[in-house]
Amino acid sequence: MNPVPIRGKKRPPSIGSKGWLPLFGWVLAGAALLGLCLAIVALAVPIVAVLPGLLPREAATTAPLIARRLVSDTLGLREAWSRSDLHLPSDLDPCVVAVDAGVAFVDFSPGSTEGDLTVLDVASGNVRWVSGGHSTLFSLGTDGAHVFVASNERIRSYGMSDGALVWESERLSAHADYLIAPGISAYLEVFTSSDSLEGRVETIRRFNADNGLLISRDSMDIPGQGALLTRSSGLNFWAEGEVLRATHRATGSAAWEAILPGTMRGWPVLAGGLIILRPGLPGPLVALNQSTGATEWVFDDPVASNLALRDRQVLALLSSGDLVAVDISSGTSAGVASFSQVADTGLSMDYTYCIALSGTRIFVYLGDTAQLIALEWVRDQ
């Protein structure tokens, strides 16, 4: 039980009494403690001042990105210009499209859920126009005069030269993806894979590229649980994991089936009677005979970007960031353009790589330095 304090006045101790001695001791102890604290503070200030220089580099939360440069080349290329601090989505194939009228991409600021559709001048790299507010982004495409964007459950067309909205589709289903097929001319095709009560269904919408008029909408059952990868004049090519299937467009009957060394990623290239694709990310290039599905050649170096075709060469970025040209007849390297390498900082890096072709120019996006580099061919291949 706590004692009850005695109320009333207390007589202060006299100078000669024992009450002063304990009080004087506490005063001396407090003064000593205060002096010790002041001494510690005095020593701590210079230590804190030099502490950032003593910390290891790995302790930093950010590190400046050193821009890459073209350092060697056997493709006949030279660097025209470069832009930094760009953040392009990793799940878009391609994440850059280019024509003579401009190079287009959607730039997402770090932490942002909406991206800015941006078009640069191909010759200078200067910004022509920007259109913001693009989220739930699925794909990009261009026919030269327009840039098409599948985002926010709609297909939109913008004038490549001025950014004016040319047309906009009706709202599409929110439970499917919308992939704009490459090779747009008078119309554009949009592939959509979705599930129904009867199984997986592939829907192909065909729009007039000039005015957005829906020309046709065709649906077909998907063999297995995959999706339409691409199609030629006579065949549909379906991807399901590591399985590639070809069916006849006219009848839907099976043509052939092949097992690949990885999951198909991105748009393949159809050229020279071959279907050339990249199984895995990164992964090798594999060329199959379109008619039989037989493997014609394999290029084993790890490819980490989308594919582009120029003359009889497939262009792609390797996992190192170097640009390689692969001859489609033999599957061997026809040349390499190498960039300066990025030092290993121990930090998480963005390895989104993609390329786009326009005439004598090729545009290379390197996500590890958030950099878009424009290259020009200065001699014929």
Side-chain angles (χ1 to χ4, degrees), residues 269-284:
V269 166
L270 301 177
L274 303 174
I275 176 171
I276 304 169
L277 37 80
R278 181 200 69 206
L281 183 63

Side-chain angles (χ1 to χ4, degrees), residues 336-353:
V336 178
S338 297
F339 299 92
S340 54
Q341 295 301 300
V342 178
D344 184 5
T345 62
L347 303 175
S348 176
M349 304 292 284
D350 175 8
Y351 289 100
T352 300
Y353 293 154

Side-chain angles (χ1 to χ4, degrees), residues 59-60 64 82 89 99 115 129 132 179 287 305 348 365 377:
S82 174
V99 291
W129 55 266
L179 303 179
S305 76
S348 176
Y365 176 71
W377 273 277

Side-chain angles (χ1 to χ4, degrees), residues 113-139:
T113 59
E114 292 189 345
D116 294 329
L117 175 61
T118 305
V119 170
L120 307 180
D121 180 82
V122 295
S124 65
N126 294 330
V127 176
R128 281 192 167 182
W129 55 266
V130 176
S131 170
H134 294 275
S135 61
T136 321
L137 183 65
F138 288 112
S139 56

Side-chain angles (χ1 to χ4, degrees), residues 2-11:
N2 295 327
V4 177
I6 300 175
R7 298 180 181 273
K9 295 181 180 181
K10 288 188 177 181
R11 182 171 58 88

Side-chain angles (χ1 to χ4, degrees), residues 68-73 79 322 337-341:
R68 291 198 190 209
R69 296 299 178 197
L70 184 65
V71 294
S72 65
D73 167 68
E79 187 172 329
D322 293 340
S338 297
F339 299 92
S340 54
Q341 295 301 300

